[in-house]
Amino acid sequence: QALVKARHVAGDAALGTAFVRMVRPFVYRATLDGRQVEETLDEIRWTKASIEKRIARDGDPLLHIKLGPGGIRDSEFVVQALQLLHGPRVATARAAGTVAALDALGAAGVLPVAEAEELKDAYRYMRRVENTVQLVADRQVYHAPADPAEWERLALRLGYGGDAGAHFRKEFEARQRTIRSSFDALFAADESAFGWRMNTLLAEERPSDESTPFLAGYGLADAPAAHRLIRELASGSERVRFTPRVRQMFVRFAEGLLDQIAATPDPMLALVQLERFLSASGARAQIYPVLREEPGVRQLVVRILGTSRFLGDILARDPLAYEALVYGPGFTQRAGSVEECLTALGEASEP
């Protein structure tokens, strides 16, 4: 997404131009299937939701000109998402600037011309407010003032007369609604009750009063530990953070995964060993699609990990054995480990 705005600004112009040309096929992929479109929108949606949660800790997010709901970043994300999706066939939409890209998207019919013009006007308006705030502060600040007197002074600097503060607030909020409406229309998620609950849990620093019984419903009685492990499965640890794309991949199969974990003799053991196995395996971007698309594979892995610590040790010690579980013993030289797992699993299942 960031490479949409890539352009040469200094140094060797030929090298800069060559780099932009080289990455273009990566940025504007010739073919995008429905899943790739969904993943692109999910990644941008989650990035923006994370930003809004972060800025809410520092004050009213609606006063954040750049990052708040209906702010500058919302309009940029709308434009960049449409560029990623339509840029492969609409060459003019690949413009590095937001205003130029909106003109191109409107002209190409990707956006209705009226919506493109409204978005462009709202974007320019928010940029003007941002620039005025920064000129007064003589530094990069992005919050409109919360103090009524400061708000009034900002309105006067922007050229409003009469009841300047009220007129400014009315137009400021109207521009925010214009931008946010386009953002919501593009990024609206058809989210299930489980998806909403899981995304809420992942956003929490510690399990809330609602998350604790949610986890207990899957046999995960140690809510703090389960919460930490699920967040690590989705987003990584403090040492290694996953991309929003990996996180969304996890959310898509998390309901089936938790149902299968709940069916094991020891759900907490299954969760602990799953995180340990995946940490040893690495490559979540390769493993998670398989766990999502192959519920039988997922059930086998969870069953092994939830049966005993010994079986989990085998997989964690030899992560490549996972390949033989998925593709068959003939696929890899790790067949011995797989047979050991399956033999032990059969023995453990006998009464």
Side-chain angles (χ1 to χ4, degrees), residues 304 310-312 314-315 321 325 336-346:
I304 289 172
F310 169 71
L311 298 175
I314 294 174
L315 277 181
L325 283 172
S337 294
V338 179
E339 290 166 2
E340 187 180 357
C341 271
L342 296 178
T343 298
L345 180 62

Side-chain angles (χ1 to χ4, degrees), residues 87-279:
R89 66 176 182 82
V90 183
T92 54
R94 302 171 193 167
T98 300
V99 171
L102 279 168
D103 285 336
L105 292 167
V110 174
L111 276 176
V113 173
E115 183 179 353
E117 288 297 318
E118 287 177 356
L119 261 179
K120 186 169 64 174
D121 289 345
Y123 173 78
R124 283 175 163 161
Y125 178 86
M126 300 302 281
R127 280 293 191 193
R128 181 167 166 248
V129 174
E130 177 193 50
N131 291 340
T132 303
V133 168
Q134 292 179 353
L135 281 170
V136 173
D138 196 25
R139 58 192 177 94
Q140 285 193 322
V141 292
Y142 302 104
H143 274 95
D147 179 72
E150 288 296 325
W151 181 272
E152 187 77 18
R153 280 191 282 272
L154 176 59
L156 293 171
R157 292 186 183 104
L158 287 164
Y160 289 94
D163 191 355
H167 293 320
F168 171 36
R169 189 173 300 279
K170 181 179 180 180
E171 187 165 5
F172 182 78
E173 292 176 352
R175 303 294 182 143
Q176 284 181 315
R177 287 193 297 272
T178 294
I179 295 172
R180 192 63 175 195
S181 176
S182 292
F183 182 90
D184 287 342
L186 179 60
F187 294 104
D190 184 14
E191 195 170 46
S192 66
F194 176 90
W196 178 86
R197 182 65 262 164
M198 178 56 64
N199 279 312
T200 301
L201 181 148
L202 293 175
E204 297 168 350
E205 293 296 327
R206 57 187 60 83
S208 65
D209 291 342
E210 292 77 22
S211 293
T212 297
F214 170 77
L215 293 168
Y218 293 98
L220 302 171
D222 186 345
H227 177 261
R228 175 182 57 79
L229 290 165
I230 290 173
R231 291 188 77 196
E232 289 179 0
L233 286 169
S235 304
S237 63
E238 291 298 325
R239 186 171 56 85
V240 179
R241 303 299 294 174
F242 302 151
T243 65
R245 177 172 172 268
V246 171
R247 177 193 171 281
Q248 287 301 325
M249 276 194 276
F250 173 80
V251 171
R252 290 193 191 101
F253 70 83
E255 184 170 14
L257 174 68
L258 289 181
D259 283 338
Q260 290 166 337
I261 284 175
T264 64
D266 188 339
M268 278 303 303
L269 176 66
L271 185 61
V272 167
Q273 300 216 107
L274 178 64
E275 196 284 325
R276 189 160 63 99
F277 159 64
L278 290 171
S279 293

Side-chain angles (χ1 to χ4, degrees), residues 286-308:
Q286 283 70 51
I287 294 177
Y288 279 3
V290 176
L291 296 181
R292 177 191 179 190
E293 298 296 331
E294 301 290 345
V297 170
R298 189 176 66 228
Q299 184 175 27
L300 175 60
V301 171
V302 169
R303 183 182 169 207
I304 289 172
L305 296 174
T307 299
S308 77

Side-chain angles (χ1 to χ4, degrees), residues 69-100:
I72 292 167
R73 191 53 52 84
D74 273 9
S75 55
E76 291 175 336
F77 278 4
V78 168
V79 170
Q80 290 165 18
L82 292 175
Q83 287 179 292
L84 291 171
L85 299 179
H86 298 278
R89 66 176 182 82
V90 183
T92 54
R94 302 171 193 167
T98 300
V99 171

